[in-house]
Amino acid sequence: MQNVVVVGSQWGDEGKGKIVDWLSSEADVVVRFQGGHNAGHTLVIDKKVFKLRLLPSGIVREGKISILGNGVVIDPWALISEIEDIKKQGIEVTPKNFMISESASLILPFHQEMDEIREDAAGEEKIGTTRRGIGPCYEDKVGRRSIRVMDLRLESNLDNRLENVLLHHNAIRKGLNKKIFEKDKLKKELLKIAPEILKFAQPVWLKLDKFKNERKKILFEGAQGILLDVDHGTYPYVTSSNTVPAMAATGSGSGPNNINYILGITKAYTTRVGSGPFPTELKDEIGESLGKRGKEFGTVTARKRRCGWFDGVLVRQTIKISGINGIALTKLDVLDELDEIKMCVGYELNGKKIDYLPAATEDQFNIKPVYKTFPGWKTKTQGIRNLKDLPDKARRYIHALEDFIGARISSISTSPERDDTILVEDPFNN
């Protein structure tokens, strides 16, 4: 028995939803440990599509316990809306199968407004956030002024906490000539929804310790990708939390010794949403073709994703940073029609060859990819479920990718359908 962390090894959108759902059939508990409702997962189960934003992927499976850890920032109104939506699809969400850390911070309306104000003011320098208040909420958390789930229990406490956080935000709003945010109206709205949130609130760290002692299998579910990590990503074009697997321990209250296997979800090409450097981006017909065949639009924002060749240098780097044990390779079938396929195996910067992504933003924008070219297989791989049934050229591409990044392929996804997966090794029982 092992506990598994699932993370994206690129800029997110690698197909984590399908893989997490596939793994959750074996898990007893599924835990989200960072991010908010800015990162969506799309699940396709028996032709039925579920679009999740905050709820862990395990929620669609009967008999599983789903958890939002203390590292997640929660928009309470968005969460209630998502629960109502998924209930309409026949999914039960009760305190028996869903819980929220009482220590999780809440995204409030002024966070979203501040996100929008900053992005609009940044012009061409904008980060490309989803404008959902994630960053400003994390700022308040680090600044020790955020409203947490537990603060909803007592009106007098909530009043004091709101006074403190609005003292900060209203000072900024005044400086930007924006309307002052009214505390009393917000407090009334929060107290109204408090019972709906508090019925799920638990000391999650204590529950996870109990599940560990009961030898339950725990699946830790990351959002976004490692290249969006606030420390290790393409800063400042990153998210506001740590997306690396180590955050699974911090963001849930479970010790790092509870993590036994780290699975990196890796797309067979590369995509990115929003602004920031992208060394292998294709602004041509091939890039357009990858976007169309891969249906590269965001689950949450519907924004079109930028597409490019597989960047082996970046994935190798995220593997080293994160301690990834195995790779789940997704969307191989999107490459089926290409005459040739390229993989980035190095960079050039100011005439010199380098084998890693430099930390300086200006260097990240100026590096040029060095490619290795592979012949396309020009035949359908969609729906293949056995490794030996893949075309020889597809297998050669996969083996070359595996050798270069320095991590073994544990599974290969050949369509959005859950069962269209080639299993090489089982992370839970490896």
Side-chain angles (χ1 to χ4, degrees):
M1 184 207 75
Q2 298 196 101
N3 297 327
V4 177
V5 179
V6 175
V7 292
S9 70
Q10 296 155 305
W11 277 294
D13 311 308
E14 300 95 348
K16 291 186 292 297
K18 169 188 169 174
I19 303 299
V20 170
D21 170 64
W22 176 61
L23 288 171
S24 68
S25 62
E26 287 191 60
D28 302 301
V29 182
V30 183
V31 185
R32 271 282 305 273
F33 57 85
Q34 51 76 220
H37 64 312
N38 56 333
H41 287 168
T42 300
L43 311 179
V44 182
I45 303 171
D46 297 328
K47 307 295 183 181
K48 198 170 184 178
V49 178
F50 299 94
K51 292 184 180 292
L52 305 178
R53 297 174 295 279
L54 263 173
L55 292 171
S57 298
I59 201 71
V60 301
R61 298 203 163 274
E62 191 174 349
K64 311 297 178 182
I65 298 171
S66 293
I67 296 175
L68 295 181
N70 55 277
V72 179
V73 288
I74 300 170
D75 182 322
W77 294 278
L79 177 59
I80 290 169
S81 176
E82 187 173 344
I83 290 172
E84 289 174 352
D85 287 343
I86 204 164
K87 280 184 175 180
K88 291 174 185 176
Q89 291 186 276
I91 303 298
E92 284 296 314
V93 182
T94 72
K96 289 184 177 181
N97 71 340
F98 176 59
M99 60 184 70
I100 305 168
S101 170
E102 58 186 3
S103 301
S105 293
L106 298 178
I107 299 172
L108 301 176
F110 52 79
H111 291 131
Q112 184 172 340
E113 288 183 18
M114 185 56 65
D115 213 349
E116 292 171 348
I117 290 167
R118 287 178 180 169
E119 279 290 276
D120 290 340
E124 292 183 1
E125 300 299 317
K126 65 183 180 181
I127 301 298
T129 77
T130 56
R131 298 169 177 253
R132 280 164 167 73
I134 310 297
C137 182
Y138 273 118
E139 288 178 41
D140 282 345
K141 178 180 179 178
V142 174
R144 295 165 291 188
R145 56 180 172 265
S146 69
I147 309 298
R148 300 194 290 173
V149 171
M150 65 182 72
D151 294 325
L152 299 177
R153 289 179 180 154
L154 188 64
E155 182 177 350
S156 60
N157 182 58
L158 179 60
D159 191 83
N160 291 334
R161 301 296 298 154
L162 284 172
E163 191 79 40
N164 183 47
V165 72
L166 286 175
L167 180 67
H168 170 83
H169 278 270
N170 281 336
I172 297 173
R173 294 170 75 95
K174 269 186 182 179
L176 296 171
N177 293 318
K178 300 296 179 181
K179 186 179 177 182
I180 296 303
F181 212 94
E182 296 294 336
K183 181 191 71 173
D184 290 342
K185 182 182 177 183
L186 177 57
K187 184 177 74 170
K188 184 178 179 181
E189 291 172 348
L190 283 170
L191 289 172
K192 183 179 178 181
I193 65 165
E196 287 299 307
I197 299 298
L198 290 173
K199 69 182 181 183
F200 299 114
Q202 295 282 353
V204 160
W205 65 271
L206 190 59
K207 293 291 184 181
L208 287 174
D209 186 63
K210 177 175 177 286
F211 297 148
K212 172 189 172 183
N213 292 333
E214 293 171 350
R215 297 189 60 78
K216 291 186 183 295
K217 293 181 181 179
I218 304 172
L219 180 63
F220 296 92
E221 176 186 8
Q224 293 121 343
I226 293 166
L227 290 169
L228 292 174
D229 184 277
V230 70
D231 286 302
H232 300 288
T234 48
Y235 189 91
Y237 301 95
V238 292
T239 192
S240 299
S241 62
N242 287 110
T243 59
V244 291
M247 184 63 187
T250 306
S252 66
S254 181
N257 59 333
N258 287 337
I259 297 169
N260 309 110
Y261 189 99
I262 300 170
L263 180 66
I265 315 302
T266 305
K267 198 176 288 185
Y269 50 102
T270 309
T271 62
R272 175 164 201 170
V273 173
S275 307
F278 187 170
T280 64
E281 183 174 10
L282 295 169
K283 299 179 180 180
D284 56 13
E285 290 182 5
I286 295 175
E288 286 291 321
S289 172
L290 290 173
K292 288 177 181 176
R293 284 182 54 79
K295 296 181 174 61
E296 297 296 351
F297 296 91
T299 300
V300 172
T301 63
R303 287 188 295 178
K304 185 178 179 181
R305 296 173 188 143
R306 300 153 64 191
C307 298
W309 295 120
F310 181 81
D311 194 328
V313 180
L314 283 182
V315 174
R316 183 176 61 187
Q317 186 163 323
T318 61
I319 287 169
K320 292 179 185 298
I321 288 168
S322 301
I324 287 172
N325 300 107
I327 288 293
L329 189 66
T330 64
K331 293 199 170 184
L332 181 70
D333 55 300
V334 175
L335 305 178
D336 285 353
E337 297 181 358
L338 297 175
D339 294 319
E340 63 178 26
I341 298 163
K342 294 183 179 181
M343 180 193 303
C344 177
V345 295
Y347 298 134
E348 282 189 5
L349 178 63
N350 301 323
K352 295 182 180 180
K353 289 187 177 181
I354 58 174
D355 60 359
Y356 66 95
L357 182 74
T361 306
E362 58 271 23
D363 290 342
Q364 293 175 358
F365 275 112
N366 290 326
I367 55 176
K368 296 179 181 178
V370 176
Y371 289 116
K372 183 175 182 179
T373 302
F374 300 84
W377 40 91
K378 301 288 288 182
T379 187
K380 182 179 177 182
T381 63
Q382 185 176 5
I384 289 178
R385 301 179 183 181
N386 195 305
L387 191 63
K388 66 180 178 59
D389 293 332
L390 286 174
D392 288 341
K393 291 177 180 177
R395 276 184 285 169
R396 281 200 289 270
Y397 174 71
I398 291 167
H399 290 317
L401 183 153
E402 186 178 45
D403 288 342
F404 185 81
I405 63 177
R408 57 188 181 271
I409 304 293
S410 67
S411 64
I412 303 164
S413 175
T414 56
S415 95
E417 290 291 338
R418 179 180 178 274
D419 292 332
D420 289 342
T421 304
I422 301 168
L423 181 63
V424 180
E425 66 179 26
D426 183 350
F428 274 117
N429 299 292
N430 179 50

